[in-house]
Structures are given as structure tokens and as C-alpha cells.
Amino acid sequence: MPNIKSAIKRVKTNKKANVANSSAKSAMRTAVKKAEQAIASGADNAQELVIQATKALDKAASKGLIHKNAASRKKSRLAKKLAQAN
């Protein structure tokens, strides 16, 4: 544990940010996984789940959790899977 006051504050801030980032990244992964499963099973709400996954990917990219090109690639692949399923 650091001795300097500002370093102690940084440790606390980093822990808080890590929890928030981990949670957001996990939610994004879950949304993408749900959308992919819905597409694979041919569920009626697949379109809706893809839209939610797209929003989650955009949000993660805007917060810097994933690279914007990675988000774009994942969105494109989801859309392609959805189009092929229909």
C-alpha cells in the first residue's frame, strides 16, 4: 500500500473504475452472447437482442473498454449472422 496521500487516492479510484469497467464489459459480452444464441435458435426476438447488443458494444467502445474497430467488427458479424438466419 502506498504511503503518499495522492497515491492512496489513486488506488481507491482505480479499484472503483475497475469494478465499473468489469461490470460494463461483462454486460456487453452477455448481450452479444444472448443475441448470438437467439440467432442460432431462430428466436422471434433475435432482431431486438441484436439491437441491444449493438448498443452495448457502442457504449463499451465509447468508454474505451474495447477498441472502436473491434466493436464495429462484432456489430458487423452479428448483423451478418442475423441476415443469413432470415
Side-chain angles (χ1 to χ4, degrees):
M1 191 70 180
N3 296 323
I4 298 165
K5 193 172 185 179
S6 61
I8 292 169
K9 286 181 183 178
R10 283 306 316 158
V11 168
K12 287 182 185 177
T13 308
N14 288 340
K15 279 185 185 176
K16 200 183 239 185
N18 182 265
V19 170
N21 290 340
S22 298
S23 175
K25 202 166 187 179
S26 175
M28 177 209 58
R29 286 194 196 113
T30 303
V32 170
K33 206 175 285 186
K34 280 184 182 178
E36 287 177 341
Q37 288 172 347
I39 292 168
S41 67
D44 296 335
N45 63 343
Q47 177 80 33
E48 188 179 309
L49 290 171
V50 168
I51 291 169
Q52 288 176 357
T54 300
K55 283 183 183 178
L57 285 163
D58 284 336
K59 196 169 188 180
S62 71
K63 292 183 177 202
L65 300 178
I66 61 172
H67 195 275
K68 66 175 185 157
N69 290 355
S72 181
R73 182 179 66 241
K74 289 174 192 273
K75 290 188 314 188
S76 175
R77 287 178 181 173
L78 268 178
K80 187 176 177 182
K81 284 180 188 177
L82 185 64
Q84 288 176 344
N86 291 338

